[in-house]
Amino acid sequence: MRKEWPLILGLVILIGLQTTHLLDWLLLQSATVVLSGLGGLSLLILLLARRIASQADHLAERLGEPIGTLVLTGSVILIELALVTSTMLSGESNPTLARDSMFSVLMIVLTGVKGITLILASRFQTSGITEPFQPEDMATVNQSGASTYINLITTMSVLVLVLPNFSSDSSEANFSLPINWLLTVVAIGLYAAFLRFQTGSYRNLFLEASKQLELPETKASNGLHKASDHDSDSTIRSGILMATGLLILVLIAESMGNLIEVGITDLGLPSSLGGVLVGFLVVAPEALNAFQAANRGEVQRSLNTLYGSSLSTLCLTVPAVLLIGEVTNTNVILGLNPMESVLLILTLILVRPLSGRVSELDGLMLLSVGLVWISLQVVS
């Protein structure tokens, strides 16, 4: 249990936040103090995310792919929903918060995190090779599964973040209520169908490319071997610890809504930075999990985590935000501005796999786009 000290620390701080007036006191202080408090809580969330990623990695090994990464993806989406909901219901009305949060998650995951993941996986694959690299030396991606993910992410990105700008049935970058309900049904329906395929008949598309060569009998025997060799108590323990860590993280993140709004407002920073911060906090557990897998050369497992995060953000956050906006009579703007639309389209082009091989250069291109995006957020 000594390794679980971030959970214990998080629980202590959570109790303090809930039983004292510390947050109320922080909100009345100067911007420097507010940002210091926000930085401290963000650091705590990163520590919790590291332990959550470790437990998720443990679960993934026992449950197998792609179900293992789905456990983390399905749990982490709660963090984003908690952060966005908390910030929407507190402070000044920010109609673009949900849009900025979703766009930030996409850019952080598809440029920064994926870029680093490809670099780590490529270096693992070519470590010890002194001769000029051959195509078979490059990191391998299961192209069919990756293409399926990207097609769905592209579809939902355009429907949610680009198409509203061209809608004629609303005065702002949004749809009318009937179209929003249709968009909600489409988002949830597509995600449900995808999960059914990913965990059912199309499961092989989301395994490491090398594992596709195994015979069905071999895969079946491997599953029985794993089930008999691993202690079920260890799996249950990892699941409980991961769920506990996520619960503590979500409750602490909920308390950060006002701090994010006040900190950004007092410094006169662009409101979109709130979405960027939410995005960083949301993807932290999955980013760490993807880095761990990439360090072992498991490219497809990393991509399952990253693409799963992006897809769940688009398919689950949008319905929740539209529902909250309708119930609370809060204005919600979905459409990106022209510059962000161009960056999103460029990113979707770069992440689309042209072959089953990737190199460090692919990662560097994505990191370059991410760096430009972050710089534009700060100076705009």
Side-chain angles (χ1 to χ4, degrees):
M1 289 298 294
R2 283 181 294 181
K3 293 182 179 180
E4 307 305 330
W5 65 266
L7 297 182
I8 299 173
L9 177 61
L11 181 60
V12 171
I13 292 179
L14 176 61
I15 293 174
L17 291 174
Q18 297 295 325
T19 58
T20 67
H21 298 286
L22 178 60
L23 276 179
D24 296 331
W25 176 82
L26 272 176
L27 292 173
L28 298 176
Q29 306 308 307
S30 64
T32 302
V33 177
V34 171
L35 290 178
S36 298
L38 188 58
L41 289 177
S42 299
L43 179 60
L44 175 61
I45 283 182
L46 292 178
L47 292 173
L48 287 169
R50 184 179 179 184
R51 288 309 303 158
I52 292 169
S54 297
Q55 299 299 342
D57 200 48
H58 187 76
L59 278 176
E61 291 178 0
R62 279 152 174 73
L63 297 177
E65 286 299 313
I67 297 176
T69 52
L70 279 176
V71 174
L72 178 61
T73 300
S75 301
V76 169
I77 192 63
L78 294 175
I79 302 172
E80 181 175 13
L81 291 176
L83 281 167
V84 172
T85 302
S86 174
T87 312
M88 283 182 68
L89 299 177
S90 62
E92 296 182 4
S93 176
N94 185 353
T96 63
L97 174 69
R99 179 200 70 183
D100 295 337
S101 299
M102 288 185 289
F103 179 60
S104 296
V105 168
L106 287 176
M107 294 301 293
I108 293 168
V109 168
L110 298 181
T111 60
V113 180
K114 184 182 176 181
I116 296 173
T117 294
L118 293 183
I119 292 173
L120 291 175
S122 298
R123 289 183 176 178
F124 174 88
Q125 194 77 8
T126 56
S127 61
I129 300 176
T130 55
E131 300 293 331
F133 297 153
Q134 301 297 319
E136 57 268 19
D137 297 325
M138 300 170 66
T140 305
V141 175
N142 190 330
Q143 188 175 1
S144 298
S147 296
T148 301
Y149 263 124
I150 293 301
N151 287 338
L152 286 170
I153 291 172
T154 300
T155 299
M156 290 307 304
S157 296
V158 173
L159 290 179
V160 171
L161 299 175
V162 178
L163 194 59
N165 287 322
F166 302 94
S167 173
S168 60
D169 64 345
S170 177
S171 59
E172 294 183 313
N174 197 357
F175 297 115
S176 61
L177 183 58
I179 302 298
N180 278 337
W181 281 116
L182 176 61
L183 184 62
T184 297
V185 172
V186 168
I188 296 176
L190 272 178
Y191 193 64
F194 170 74
L195 291 182
R196 179 173 173 270
F197 290 141
Q198 188 184 25
T199 58
S201 54
Y202 291 90
R203 182 172 180 172
N204 283 349
L205 299 182
F206 305 95
L207 300 177
E208 297 293 334
S210 59
K211 294 182 180 179
Q212 283 190 306
L213 301 178
E214 297 179 7
L215 294 174
E217 294 82 2
T218 304
K219 289 185 284 186
S221 63
N222 284 347
L224 293 174
H225 179 72
K226 287 183 180 180
S228 59
D229 284 351
H230 291 87
D231 189 359
S232 61
D233 290 341
S234 178
T235 302
I236 295 173
R237 176 179 176 273
S238 296
I240 292 174
L241 288 174
M242 190 187 80
T244 303
L246 279 168
L247 179 61
I248 294 173
L249 192 153
V250 167
L251 293 176
I252 291 177
E254 281 187 314
S255 303
M256 296 174 64
N258 281 328
L259 287 179
I260 293 174
E261 285 291 320
V262 171
I264 289 176
T265 301
D266 288 352
L267 291 178
L269 298 173
S271 60
S272 59
L273 282 181
V276 174
L277 181 56
V278 169
F280 273 113
L281 296 177
V282 166
V283 304
E286 290 176 314
L288 294 175
N289 186 261
F291 294 157
Q292 290 173 356
N295 270 323
R296 297 190 296 269
E298 298 175 348
V299 187
Q300 189 61 41
R301 182 168 167 183
S302 298
L303 295 184
N304 286 345
T305 302
L306 301 181
Y307 290 159
S309 171
S310 302
L311 187 60
S312 61
T313 292
L314 290 166
C315 290
L316 300 181
T317 303
V318 170
V321 166
L322 292 177
L323 178 62
I324 293 170
E326 188 64 28
V327 171
T328 61
N329 199 26
T330 301
N331 190 26
V332 176
I333 295 178
L334 292 178
L336 297 171
N337 62 44
M339 180 190 70
E340 292 172 334
S341 297
V342 171
L343 281 175
L344 176 61
I345 293 172
L346 174 61
T347 300
L348 293 173
I349 292 173
L350 291 178
V351 298
R352 184 169 295 277
L354 299 178
S355 67
R357 306 286 181 175
V358 292
S359 66
E360 291 184 44
L361 185 58
D362 297 308
L364 289 173
M365 286 189 296
L366 291 173
L367 283 176
S368 299
V369 175
L371 180 62
V372 171
W373 167 67
I374 287 291
S375 301
L376 291 173
Q377 295 299 308
V378 175
V379 301
S380 60

